C-alpha cells in the first residue's frame, strides 16, 4: 500500500523530481509550495493525477495535514534567490522546520530535512565528512542560508530527543539536472544557458574554486533510501558525487558539450564563496548502500537537452 507523503518545496527543482518518483512508487503525494523559486511547469503534468495534490502555501505559516512522511525541501537554494530577501530565507528554514516538525509530531510522521553542504561553510577540512563541524561566518551574505539550515538541523535533533520523532537529516551537495530554474544564478544553469545563447560564460573569481556535482536522479535515489532506512539511522548523511571539478573545468566542459562559441570571462568572486567542496560518502555507502552512478559529462548532456527545450 502506498503512503501519504508531504513534499514541501515540491514545485522546485529537486522537489518536482521527488514528486514524480514517489507517485511512480504508488504513493499519495501532497506538494506544498509558495512558488517563490519553484514553478508550476515543473509539476503541470501531475495536476490531473488523482494521487497528486498541490497546495500553494508558505511553510512559515502552520498547516494541518495528515500524512505518513514529510520531505522538507522548502527553501530557496541558489545564492541569488536566498540573498534576495535574506530575513525571509532564515524564517523559511527556521519557522518552516518548526511548523513541519510540529506537523510530524502531531500525526507521528517520519520527517526528512533537506540540509546542505553549506553547513560546512568555507571548509577548512577537505573533503568534508559528516563529523566536521564547519566554518561558517555568522555575519556574511551566505549566513541567512547557512545558519538557517544549521538551526533547522538543531531543531530536528531536539525534536528527536524530546519527542522521539523519527527524523532523517540529509546534507545535499551541489546537484544539477532538468527542472533547474534557468534564472536562479546557479553555476550549472548559468553556464548552460549562456553557452546555448553564445553569450559570455561568467566565471566568478579565477575559476579555481571547486565543487562536486551530483546528477539529480542519483540524489533522489539517495533521498528516498534515507527516508526509508531503519528508524535508528537518523544521519546526518552526505549525499553528493565526490567527483571534484574546478569551476573553470566546468565552464570548458559546458562549452565543449554545447559546441558553443561563448568566451570565458572573469567577474569578482562573491564574499564567503567556498573555495573547495567535496563530500565524503562512506556513511551513505555503508548505511544506504548508495553511491552516485552518473558521471558529470553524462549528466550535463541530459541537462543541456532539457535547457534546449526551454531557452529561447
Ligand atoms: P528550488 O529553489 O528549486 O526549490 C525550493 C522550493 O521551495 C521552490 O519550489 C520554492 O518555491 C519553495 N519555497 C521556497 N520558500 C518557500 C516557503 N517559504 N514556503 C513554501 N515553499 C517555499 O531549490 P532545490 O535545488 O530544489 O532545493 C530544494 C532543497 O534542497 C532546498 O531546501 C535546498 O536548500 C536543498 N539543497 C539543494 C541543493 C542543490 O544543489 N540543489 C544543495 C543543497 C541543499
Ligand atoms: N559561479 C560562477 N559563475 C556563475 C555562477 C556561479 O563562477 O555564473 C561560481 C560561484 O561563485 C561558486 C560556484 O560557481 O564558486 C558554485 O556556485 P552556485 O551558486 O552554483 O552554488 P554554491 O556556491 O552555493 O555552491
Amino acid at each position: 500500500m502506498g503512503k501519504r507523503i508531504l513534499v514541501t518545496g515540491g514545485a522546485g527543482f529537486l522537489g518536482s523530481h521527488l514528486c514524480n518518483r514517489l507517485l511512480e512508487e504508488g504513493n499519495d503525494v501532497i506538494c506544498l509550495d509558495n512558488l517563490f523559486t519553484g514553478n508550476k511547469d515543473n509539476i503541470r503534468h501531475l495536476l490531473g493525477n488523482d494521487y497528486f495534490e498541490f497546495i500553494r502555501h508558505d511553510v512559515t505559516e502552520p498547516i494541518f495535514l495528515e500524512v505518513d512522511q514529510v520531505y522538507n525541501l522548502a527553501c530557496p537554494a541558489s545564492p541569488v534567490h536566498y540573498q534576495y530577501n535574506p530575513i525571509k530565507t532564515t524564517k523559511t528554514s527556521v519557522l518552516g522546520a518548526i511548523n513541519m516538525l510540529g506537523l510530524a509530531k502531531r500525526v507521528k510522521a517520519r520527517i526528512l530535512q533537506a540540509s546542505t553542504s553549506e553547513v560546512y561553510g568555507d571548509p577548512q577540512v577537505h573533503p568534508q565528512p559528516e563529523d566536521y563541524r564547519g566554518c561558517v561566518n555568522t555575519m556574511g551574505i551566505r549566513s541567512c542560508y547557512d545558519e538557517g539550515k544549521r538551526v533547522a538541523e538543531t531543531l530536528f535533533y531536539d525534536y528527536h530527543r524530546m519527542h522521539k520523532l523519527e527524523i532523517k537529516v540529509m546534507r545535499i551537495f551541489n546537484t544539477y539536472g532538468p527542472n533547474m530554474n534557468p534564472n536562479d544564478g546557479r553555476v550549472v544553469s548559468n553556464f548552460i544557458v549562456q553557452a546555448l545563447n553564445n553569450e559570455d560564460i561568467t566565471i566568478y573569481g579565477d575559476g579555481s574554486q571547486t565543487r562536486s556535482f551530483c546528477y539529480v536522479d542519483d540524489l533522489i535515489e539517495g533521498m528516498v533510501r534515507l527516508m526509508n532506512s531503519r528508524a535508528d539511522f537518523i544521519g546526518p548523511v552526505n549525499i553528493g558525487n565526490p567527483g571534484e571539478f574546478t569551476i573553470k573545468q566546468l565552464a570548458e566542459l559546458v562549452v565543449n558539450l554545447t559546441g558553443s562559441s561563448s568566451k570565458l570571462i572573469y567577474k569578482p568572486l562573491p564574499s564567503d564563496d567556498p573555495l573547495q567542496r567535496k563530500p565524503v560518502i562512506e556513511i551513505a555507502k555503508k548505511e544506504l548502500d548508495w553511491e552516485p552512478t552518473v558521471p558529470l559529462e553524462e549528466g550535463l548532456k541530459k541537462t543541456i537537452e532539457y535547457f534546449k527545450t526551454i531557452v529561447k
Side-chain angles (χ1 to χ4, degrees):
M1 250 260 301
K3 296 189 170 62
R4 296 164 303 169
I5 305 181
L6 171 62
V7 179
T8 77
F13 163 46
L14 297 181
S16 57
H17 286 271
L18 180 63
C19 289
N20 286 338
R21 163 75 185 257
L22 297 174
L23 286 164
E24 276 163 23
E25 287 177 351
N27 299 295
D28 238 305
V29 174
I30 301 175
C31 164
L32 183 158
D33 203 297
N34 71 349
L35 299 180
F36 171 43
T37 53
N39 193 320
K40 258 196 178 171
D41 287 341
N42 288 338
I43 52 164
R44 201 170 295 285
H45 61 290
L46 302 175
L47 294 175
N49 184 328
D50 288 343
Y51 295 91
F52 181 78
E53 208 176 331
F54 172 66
I55 302 176
R56 188 168 184 150
H57 179 82
D58 191 312
V59 285
T60 61
E61 301 290 339
I63 188 164
F64 294 83
L65 298 166
E66 278 65 45
V67 290
D68 305 305
Q69 295 185 340
V70 181
Y71 287 86
N72 188 36
L73 274 61
C75 186
S78 86
V80 171
H81 277 135
Y82 70 64
Q83 288 163 19
Y84 171 75
N85 182 344
I87 297 167
K88 174 72 192 214
T89 298
T90 303
K91 284 186 183 173
T92 294
S93 273
V94 177
L95 296 176
I98 290 171
N99 287 328
M100 292 309 122
L101 285 161
L103 185 156
K105 176 177 164 237
R106 187 175 61 83
V107 298
K108 297 189 171 51
R110 182 177 277 203
I111 180 166
L112 180 148
Q113 168 67 357
S115 190
T116 167
S117 52
E118 286 286 322
V119 300
Y120 303 123
D122 189 2
Q124 311 293 298
V125 168
H126 190 74
Q128 295 80 52
E130 287 84 348
D131 60 4
Y132 175 51
R133 293 187 184 177
C135 175
V136 178
N137 174 7
T138 58
M139 297 168 288
I141 56 172
R142 296 175 83 100
S143 314
C144 58
Y145 182 74
D146 301 9
E147 296 292 359
K149 289 285 189 178
R150 287 169 66 97
V151 174
E153 285 198 6
T154 303
L155 284 162
F156 269 67
Y157 284 94
D158 283 333
Y159 268 78
H160 175 69
R161 279 187 289 260
M162 276 190 74
H163 301 299
K164 309 277 174 280
L165 209 64
E166 283 194 19
I167 63 157
K168 307 282 176 183
V169 174
M170 170 173 182
R171 292 187 180 150
I172 302 171
F173 283 64
N174 295 66
T175 302
Y176 68 98
N179 293 7
M180 288 185 94
N181 180 332
N183 302 313
D184 80 0
R186 280 188 267 192
V187 69
V188 173
S189 45
N190 265 13
F191 285 2
I192 293 178
V193 171
Q194 289 163 345
L196 291 177
N197 290 329
N198 294 310
E199 290 164 358
D200 292 340
I201 307 274
T202 53
I203 294 182
Y204 303 158
D206 63 6
S208 63
Q209 71 271 35
T210 68
R211 293 293 186 274
S212 303
F213 299 99
C214 185
Y215 188 64
V216 61
D217 290 355
D218 282 335
L219 192 284
I220 297 298
E221 180 63 37
M223 189 180 274
V224 172
R225 284 192 192 199
L226 174 59
M227 177 60 105
N228 297 299
S229 59
R230 62 187 164 77
D232 62 348
F233 177 65
I234 61 177
V237 57
N238 290 340
I239 300 285
N241 190 324
E244 186 182 10
F245 295 84
T246 67
I247 294 305
K248 184 156 184 272
Q249 284 175 320
L250 176 73
E252 288 164 350
L253 191 52
V254 169
V255 170
N256 284 340
L257 293 176
T258 50
S260 170
S261 59
S262 294
K263 304 268 172 304
L264 309 189
I265 62 160
Y266 294 85
K267 297 211 159 182
L269 188 67
S271 63
D272 293 337
D273 199 290
L275 290 181
Q276 51 184 1
R277 182 181 289 156
K278 169 180 171 156
V280 173
I281 58 165
E282 297 315 307
I283 293 181
K285 282 186 185 165
K286 178 167 172 280
E287 296 291 340
L288 309 176
D289 192 23
W290 178 89
E291 62 183 313
T293 59
V294 182
L296 181 60
E297 187 164 328
E298 186 184 326
L300 282 178
K301 284 182 185 160
K302 294 183 189 185
T303 311
I304 290 165
E305 286 314 306
Y306 166 75
F307 276 103
K308 279 184 185 167
T309 66
I310 61 162
V311 170
K312 315 267 175 296

